Amino acid sequence: MPLSRHFDYLPPKNHTAVPLPGTRVLVPFGRGNRVGIFLGLGTETDVPLDKLKAVVSVLDETTCFDSSMLDLLKWAARYYVHPIGEVLGQALPTALREPEQSLARWTRAWQLTASGKSAPLGATARAPVQTKLREHLREHQASDATSLSACGKSWRDALKKLSDKGWVEEIKLPALPPPCGPSSETALTLNDEQTIAVETVTEDFGRFSPFLLDGVTGSGKTEVYLQLVQRCLDAGQQVLVLVPEIGLTPQLMARFENRFDVPVVSLHSGLADGQRLQHWQWAKSGEARVVIGTRSAVFTPMPTLGLIIIDEEHDASLKQQDSFRYHGRDLALVRARAAKIPILLGTATPSLETLKNARDKKYTLLTLRYRAGDATPPTIELLDIRRSQLHEGLSQRLIDAMHEPLSKGQQVLIFLNRRGFAPVLMCESCGQPCDCHRCDAHMTWHRSDSLLHCHHCGSQRPLPRVCENCNEPSLTQVGQGTQRVEDELRSQFPKHRVLRVDRDNTQRKGALAESLEKAHSGEADILVGTQMLAKGHHFPKVTLVGVLDMDGGLYRVDFRAAEVMGQTLVQVAGRAGRAKDKGKVVIQTRLPDNPLLLTLVQGGYEAFADALLSDRQMSHWPPYCRLAIVRAESTAPGAGLRLLESVYATFSKEPELQCAPPGPAPMERRAGRYRAQLMITADTPNTLINQLARLRHYLENNTLKGVARWSIEVDPVDML
Ligand code: ADP
Ligand code: ZN
């Protein structure tokens, strides 16, 4: 368990100048040396003086984090009750954990010496990699490691041999500037609502000012972003754009790159470490003018930052779900406040937190009510399937409804939030389902690889031929996943082309972009997929969206389940009829009288969110209080729960806190560990944070800490 403290060291020997806080240092740690971040000078320490070790060296001449970024990181460590070391580690590009990696603005490169140039090529005839390197260097002159590595696996050894011969030498090349193409797209003429949005935000340039851009899907939010970015660039400043998952919206990045004639870079986990460092350096030097990244990009140093934009601010992917569990949107707000700049949160389905802030006038509300261009909003209808016979999850009425648009050459999108073939494989003779051996969950049958997959821990096993419980060969598939629905659609519509899009067939790099391209170019008539299809894409030819099963969101224990269900439904519905043809959304349900569902369908997201907000207020849940979850898990049943019981015994006495008695997590066993949780709420963030700091200290010193792993999550978004 990482400790919630910093570590003290003596200054390095023979180093006179004190580095600035935020500089990388090499320090002895455990048995070796590790890269650390210098936080500041202290005058006292708990470590006995004879045990205190000295810093080995100061690694860079410049800082990784300036004082404002360090302040943000320290704030985050305190707010999320997380060790500052790990917070710094998450904010630092991975490549900089290597002491050899330099922050200097040059790269190592190699070139031929005079004797290397004159030596005959045949001299290394028996060493093919050396020969390749020499040929490469003759052709390209100075080359860096990336280009030389194309000469063969053992290029480093070969290069060393050449340099021993005196034929190549190392040089320093100045760092490349970021690439930047000419802009190919011009700005659109804004409609009135868009104009108001752009002008209102622009008026607040130069001061902290949060905005909620609440705009239905297709209303032209992205165009508002683009024009605000242009205003900011004109003012000589940088812009940070945070998006939930870059891989899911390849078009967004392209729209930004095509619009501006200044360098636009991306920052996300799909980049190689070296590439990511490079992009980070360009942002830090100010050369990259626009940074588009996922949540961790909120930590990117940007010296002339003038505006932050968060797209799809309601999306749970903006929250990190393990180790340092921060929310990218919330830290961006803290950053904007410190930097005195505006921040724009855009979405068609605001999170209840953001909505409440807008209602409380803490955020300025900007609304885009109408779809841009000629598009009209889709009609939504509920399809009661309680007495219907389903064809692999599809009701006959939905199938019938699909014929008309398909015959007109339009597209149909079928949405199902469950991948795989069949979510449960069950024994018909004893009723036992095939469960994961490590989780309290059913295994999903994936037909593509004929394996059972656990979607919670990732484990897989071959399809059993007989029931593991009664040995009868009577296993049958229950329920539908996207693969099974895909099959059914193919057999129902043999003349039409069906395209499935989910995590299983888009893992390969570029696969999602290819699928989306097929969907756009009309190479597919029926699209079937999970929420990957619901996010930010334009499918102008989709006029009918069928939603197979969303009822789960209405009776799950998780207090956010209904909110997420409503957001997903509205986002999926937003895919319909984005061009001239009016769209229709059909939702299959077994709960056609559910008041929340009816509110959503009849009153729209706003009325739905209002209903949820009053529920939350009455039951005293966020955003009407501050919530934290303390989790503990152990390989032995019960140890985690015992640890939390001792926490409860101590902290439930605090008058400022409300603690519910600890209990097992909704899915108690996951990946072989038994999990327990304790929920704590307080009225104000400060109360919660102060108490959690004490609680963390208590856990760090508890005797049970050896048998149970624990974690604290502030503002959790997922209760599983
Ligand atoms: P959102 O991000 O809100 O879903 P987009 O910005 O992607 O919406 O816009 C949806 C569509 O409308 C796009 O095809 C876009 O080019 C078009 N559009 C946006 N603003 C305008 C405008 N002012 N005039 C005409 N078309 C527009
Ligand atoms: Zn599992």
Side-chain angles (χ1 to χ4, degrees):
M1 202 61 67
L3 297 173
S4 48
R5 39 169 287 221
H6 55 267
F7 295 88
D8 296 328
Y9 291 92
L10 293 169
K13 300 185 178 85
N14 59 47
H15 198 278
T16 42
V18 177
L20 285 172
T23 305
R24 287 192 314 152
V25 288
L26 190 67
V27 293
F29 195 90
R31 264 182 249 149
N33 289 337
R34 293 273 288 273
V35 171
I37 300 285
F38 173 65
L39 284 178
L41 287 180
T43 48
E44 44 190 58
T45 174
D46 299 336
V47 186
L49 272 184
D50 56 332
K51 291 264 167 61
L52 207 58
K53 293 182 185 151
V55 168
V56 180
S57 62
V58 175
L59 290 171
D60 303 307
E61 283 167 13
T62 50
T63 60
C64 292
F65 303 117
D66 63 10
S67 62
S68 61
M69 187 53 71
L70 277 184
D71 287 345
L72 177 71
L73 295 168
K74 286 182 195 163
W75 188 94
R78 209 180 96 74
Y79 184 83
Y80 291 107
V81 214
H82 203 77
I84 182 72
E86 269 196 32
V87 173
L88 290 162
Q90 295 262 334
L92 195 69
T94 316
L96 289 177
R97 285 186 209 155
E98 298 300 326
E100 294 79 29
Q101 188 57 258
S102 170
L103 251 195
R105 302 287 292 134
W106 46 261
T107 40
R108 289 170 79 189
W110 291 268
Q111 66 183 16
L112 291 173
T113 57
S115 57
K117 279 182 194 152
S118 56
L121 252 189
T124 48
R126 304 243 228 109
V129 180
Q130 289 185 37
T131 309
K132 269 206 184 145
L133 285 171
R134 293 174 62 205
E135 283 171 345
H136 185 99
L137 290 173
R138 278 188 186 189
E139 198 179 324
H140 297 91
Q141 279 140 28
S143 304
D144 64 3
T146 318
S147 66
L148 289 182
S149 62
C151 294
K153 257 205 179 115
S154 57
W155 71 275
R156 276 187 194 278
D157 291 338
L159 190 72
K160 168 108 192 352
K161 295 217 173 88
L162 290 174
S163 106
D164 289 347
K165 289 186 189 126
W167 289 355
V168 299
E169 61 189 351
E170 188 181 321
I171 55 160
K172 290 175 179 178
L173 280 184
L176 294 172
C180 164
S183 59
S184 56
E185 244 190 51
T186 48
L188 300 170
T189 310
L190 298 181
N191 63 31
D192 290 351
E193 289 183 324
Q194 287 173 317
T195 307
I196 291 172
V198 170
E199 294 302 332
T200 314
V201 178
T202 309
E203 266 170 37
D204 278 355
F205 275 7
R207 58 172 170 258
F208 172 56
S209 188
F211 296 91
L212 165 59
L213 180 65
D214 182 353
V216 297
T217 32
S219 60
K221 291 185 292 298
T222 313
E223 188 61 32
V224 170
Y225 302 159
L226 289 165
Q227 301 215 10
L228 277 169
V229 170
Q230 188 61 57
R231 301 270 178 116
C232 216
L233 293 175
D234 292 344
Q237 293 178 309
Q238 291 173 291
V239 184
L240 172 65
V241 183
L242 292 187
V243 298
E245 288 169 86
I246 273 190
L248 292 189
T249 47
Q251 296 141 329
L252 186 82
M253 187 69 204
R255 269 176 92 179
F256 274 79
E257 280 172 343
N258 294 339
R259 179 63 69 90
F260 305 112
D261 51 10
V262 298
V264 176
V265 302
S266 63
L267 275 174
H268 55 93
S269 57
L271 298 175
D273 288 350
Q275 222 178 357
R276 198 165 176 173
L277 175 61
Q278 173 111 75
H279 290 190
W280 184 86
Q281 294 259 48
W282 282 329
K284 184 170 180 278
S285 69
E287 289 163 284
R289 302 291 302 284
V290 181
V291 173
I292 303 184
T294 45
R295 57 180 181 255
S296 64
V298 71
F299 302 120
T300 315
M302 296 174 74
T304 60
L305 185 62
L307 171 70
I308 302 179
I309 294 170
I310 319 268
D311 189 30
E312 309 291 359
E313 69 82 29
H314 65 279
D315 196 298
S317 314
L318 287 166
K319 173 92 198 252
Q320 173 131 317
Q321 309 275 20
D322 57 9
S323 79
F324 171 33
R325 296 171 157 91
Y326 65 95
H327 203 305
R329 173 197 64 208
D330 297 346
L331 285 184
L333 278 151
V334 176
R335 182 170 180 179
R337 187 173 58 203
K340 302 191 176 64
I341 57 170
I343 174 168
L344 180 68
L345 313 182
T347 174
T349 51
S351 64
L352 297 188
E353 279 74 15
T354 298
L355 206 58
K356 180 170 182 294
N357 280 321
R359 302 262 156 96
D360 293 350
K361 303 273 185 294
K362 286 187 186 150
Y363 300 172
T364 306
L365 176 65
L366 303 166
T367 320
L368 305 182
R369 246 172 277 270
Y370 308 103
R371 289 190 162 194
D374 307 326
T376 45
T379 55
I380 302 184
E381 66 179 61
L382 293 179
L383 199 72
D384 180 358
I385 53 165
R386 277 173 301 183
R387 277 172 284 281
S388 313
Q389 209 203 341
L390 299 183
H391 309 270
E392 305 299 0
L394 294 157
S395 67
Q396 188 59 48
R397 276 176 293 162
L398 178 56
I399 293 172
D400 292 344
M402 289 172 67
H403 283 288
E404 193 199 314
L406 289 175
S407 68
K408 289 192 200 151
Q410 298 165 350
Q411 291 175 315
V412 175
L413 189 157
I414 299 295
F415 175 82
L416 171 66
N417 224 354
R418 213 180 299 119
R419 62 202 167 85
F421 188 77
V424 187
L425 201 63
M426 201 168 83
C427 174
E428 277 188 321
S429 78
C430 75
Q432 173 99 352
C434 284
D435 283 343
C436 176
H437 297 317
R438 308 171 70 216
C439 304
D440 291 332
H442 304 317
M443 300 288 276
T444 303
W445 179 29
H446 283 228
R447 219 193 31 183
S448 41
D449 56 8
S450 279
L451 292 176
L452 293 177
H453 290 236
C454 174
H455 289 178
H456 302 283
C457 71
S459 63
Q460 304 173 356
R461 63 175 196 264
L463 199 65
R465 261 181 288 153
V466 295
C467 171
E468 289 167 349
N469 184 44
C470 68
N471 272 324
E472 290 293 321
S474 46
L475 291 171
T476 175
Q477 312 126 17
V478 183
Q480 287 79 32
T482 43
Q483 296 174 4
R484 196 169 184 183
V485 173
E486 176 191 10
D487 274 13
E488 180 62 22
L489 287 168
R490 282 188 204 284
S491 76
Q492 291 277 353
F493 299 94
K495 294 211 186 77
H496 291 102
R497 293 155 302 175
V498 181
L499 176 72
R500 173 168 60 88
V501 181
D502 58 29
R503 218 168 278 285
D504 293 319
N505 67 358
T506 51
Q507 265 163 350
R508 186 173 49 83
K509 212 176 172 187
L512 177 65
E514 274 168 39
S515 288
L516 292 176
E517 185 46 41
K518 273 191 193 165
H520 283 272
S521 62
E523 259 178 73
D525 307 306
I526 302 173
L527 312 174
V528 51
T530 55
Q531 59 191 7
M532 289 184 100
L533 275 181
K535 297 199 176 185
H537 311 295
H538 286 265
F539 300 116
K541 284 174 70 189
V542 170
T543 52
L544 174 64
V545 172
V547 179
L548 295 198
D549 184 7
M550 290 290 282
D551 291 348
L554 293 168
Y555 43 70
R556 256 184 53 198
V557 279
D558 183 341
F559 79 96
R560 282 188 205 273
E563 177 184 351
V564 173
M565 184 219 61
Q567 288 163 347
T568 311
L569 261 185
V570 173
Q571 298 283 348
V572 182
R575 305 305 123 209
R578 290 178 61 122
K580 301 185 294 299
D581 305 303
K582 191 170 168 71
K584 184 162 126 177
V585 181
V586 173
I587 302 169
Q588 295 190 165
T589 179
R590 290 191 171 81
L591 303 167
D593 309 318
N594 181 284
L596 262 181
L597 196 55
L598 286 173
T599 308
L600 181 63
V601 171
Q602 290 158 6
Y605 184 78
E606 210 179 322
F608 172 77
D610 272 335
L612 288 182
L613 272 175
S614 18
D615 271 3
R616 299 266 190 97
Q617 184 165 26
M618 281 203 312
S619 49
H620 202 65
W621 277 110
Y624 294 91
C625 68
R626 289 304 178 118
L627 171 70
I629 295 191
V630 186
R631 298 188 175 90
E633 53 174 51
S634 52
T635 41
L641 197 56
R642 278 206 305 286
L643 176 62
L644 295 187
E645 270 157 4
S646 79
V647 172
Y648 179 72
T650 310
F651 286 85
S652 58
K653 293 191 205 106
E654 291 297 331
E656 298 169 313
L657 294 180
Q658 297 88 45
C659 299
M667 184 193 300
E668 185 175 10
R669 202 168 48 104
R670 178 148 135 191
R673 293 178 159 271
Y674 292 84
R675 305 165 337 128
Q677 62 185 33
L678 167 67
M679 294 203 211
I680 301 180
T681 57
D683 288 338
T684 68
N686 271 339
T687 318
L688 188 65
I689 300 318
N690 291 335
Q691 292 286 355
L692 288 178
R694 286 184 50 224
L695 196 152
R696 182 170 182 106
H697 186 76
Y698 176 89
L699 284 166
E700 280 173 357
N701 296 293
N702 191 289
T703 46
L704 276 168
K705 68 171 195 230
V707 285
R709 278 207 308 226
W710 52 265
S711 65
I712 301 172
E713 177 164 14
V714 179
D715 304 333
V717 295
D718 190 346
M719 319 293 283
L720 282 182

